């Protein structure tokens, strides 16, 4: 019960801070919006489809995973600012659970991501996307787990590096190959065999396939439960590791 109360208190405070300065929320949606409105209409010939609606059916699920990746993986910059301001140090004298300090922040990131994802889906529906509401809920659940995993990872790495100058190149080095081998912008249907083999080791490739299956109206597809198992397992490992790093960082 104490852990839940502590998590709620941390989550509440983090939400208040974000709403006072929603620049991250705005910036987080601008890039996916550009992709949706300016890039997706160019995909018809590449995908061999007849309408923009069909292109959005393939592209929007990948765009949501892209949003989950970039919207969560860079949250550690805010934690470094708190470290520099002494906020984390002052947490030492409070009885708040160390695990709650991590989970409360990560839940804020999940809520922020889902709000942005909802806007993207609504805009997609306005320009021709067709998807069942229950399938969207399933896709959002998968995205929430991705966000929790990457947010926790970002916080743990930030606590170890404690420097934006070190964190930025590290995260960029990680995200570029993950993005290019996940089939986010385009499916890997026509990719060389070696690239498909690399993609099989990319957990976000599984996530993209699962979300696309949901948007196609196939919640029972193997790719859906496979994505849930892969992402869920990694999220559990990451949160446990990050919670230990976080506890050491604020003790």
């Amino acid at each position: 019960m104490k852990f839940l109360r502590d998590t709620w208190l941390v989550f509440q405070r983090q939400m208040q801070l974000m709403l006072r300065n929603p620049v991250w929320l705005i910036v987080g949606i601008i890039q996916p919006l550009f992709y949706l409105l300016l890039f997706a209409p160019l995909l018809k010939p590449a995908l061999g489809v007849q309408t923009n609606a069909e292109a959005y059916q393939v592209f929007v699920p990948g765009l949501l995973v892209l949003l989950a990746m970039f919207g969560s993986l860079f949250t550690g910059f805010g934690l470094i600012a708190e470290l520099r301001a002494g906020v984390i140090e002052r947490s030492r004298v409070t009885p708040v659970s160390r695990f709650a300090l991590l989970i409360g922040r990560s839940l804020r990131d999940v809520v922020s991501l889902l709000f942005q994802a909802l806007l993207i889906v609504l805009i997609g529906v306005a320009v021709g996307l067709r998807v069942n509401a229950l399938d969207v809920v399933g896709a959002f659940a998968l995205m929430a787990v991705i966000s929790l995993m990457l947010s926790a990872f970002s916080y743990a790495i930030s606590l170890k590096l404690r420097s934006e100058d070190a964190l930025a190149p590290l995260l960029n080095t990680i995200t570029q190959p993950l993005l290019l081998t996940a089939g986010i912008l385009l499916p890997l249907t026509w990719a060389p065999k070696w690239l498909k083999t690399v993609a099989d080791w990319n957990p976000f490739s599984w996530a993209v396939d699962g979300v696309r299956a949901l948007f196609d109206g196939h919640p029972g597809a193997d790719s859906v439960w496979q994505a849930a198992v892969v992402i869920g397992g990694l999220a559990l490992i990451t949160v446990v590791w990050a919670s230990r790093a976080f506890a050491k960082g604020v003790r």
Side-chain angles (χ1 to χ4, degrees):
M1 184 62 70
K2 180 182 182 300
F3 165 71
L4 295 178
R5 179 179 177 276
D6 290 348
T7 300
W8 172 250
L9 290 174
V10 175
F11 170 75
Q12 233 180 354
R13 178 181 179 276
Q14 293 298 316
M15 285 296 296
Q16 289 172 353
L17 292 174
M18 183 184 69
L19 293 175
R20 288 174 188 169
N21 185 20
V23 63
W24 283 106
L25 204 59
I26 297 170
V27 171
I29 198 174
I30 287 178
Q31 185 179 20
L33 190 59
F34 283 159
Y35 274 112
L36 180 64
L37 299 179
L38 303 180
F39 181 75
L42 305 176
L43 291 176
K44 283 199 299 182
L47 296 174
V49 297
Q50 301 299 316
T51 65
N52 283 338
E54 293 177 276
Y56 287 129
Q57 203 74 28
V58 175
F59 183 67
V60 170
L63 187 61
L64 293 177
V65 176
L66 175 69
L67 181 64
M69 290 176 62
F70 281 85
S72 304
L73 197 54
F74 290 85
T75 55
F77 286 97
L79 185 63
I80 291 177
E82 290 190 24
L83 282 167
R84 187 174 294 114
V87 174
I88 303 301
E89 291 297 323
R90 287 195 292 272
S91 299
R92 294 177 178 179
V93 298
T94 70
V96 175
S97 163
R98 303 310 191 235
F99 190 39
L101 289 172
L102 166 67
I103 297 300
R105 284 174 168 81
S106 293
L107 289 180
R108 182 275 313 269
D109 301 329
V110 171
V111 171
S112 172
L113 166 70
L114 294 182
F115 175 74
Q116 295 171 66
L118 179 60
L119 292 180
I120 291 293
V121 171
L122 292 177
I123 294 170
V125 169
V127 295
L129 176 68
R130 295 293 176 265
V131 61
N132 185 281
L134 289 178
D135 293 333
V136 171
V137 172
F140 279 15
L142 189 56
M143 290 177 59
V145 179
I146 295 174
S147 177
L148 180 64
M149 173 181 70
L150 292 181
S151 172
F153 175 83
S154 182
Y155 288 137
I157 291 295
S158 299
L159 282 169
K160 292 183 178 298
L161 298 179
R162 296 175 178 255
S163 167
E164 294 93 342
D165 294 336
L167 182 63
L170 175 63
L171 293 183
N172 283 324
T173 301
I174 292 173
T175 54
Q176 288 302 318
L178 289 176
L179 170 65
L180 295 174
T181 60
I184 284 177
L185 300 181
L186 285 172
L188 298 176
T189 308
W190 303 282
K193 185 176 180 181
W194 68 267
L195 186 55
K196 291 182 179 179
T197 302
V198 172
D200 288 340
W201 291 92
N202 184 347
F204 300 102
S205 174
W206 296 81
V208 171
D209 290 342
V211 176
R212 282 195 175 124
L214 287 166
F215 271 68
D216 283 338
H218 304 297
D222 289 345
S223 56
V224 176
W225 68 261
Q226 288 169 351
V229 170
V230 170
I231 297 299
L234 287 175
L236 179 61
I237 293 171
T238 304
V239 168
V240 170
W241 169 68
S243 65
R244 291 177 179 176
F246 204 94
K248 291 178 182 178
V250 300
R251 198 176 298 165

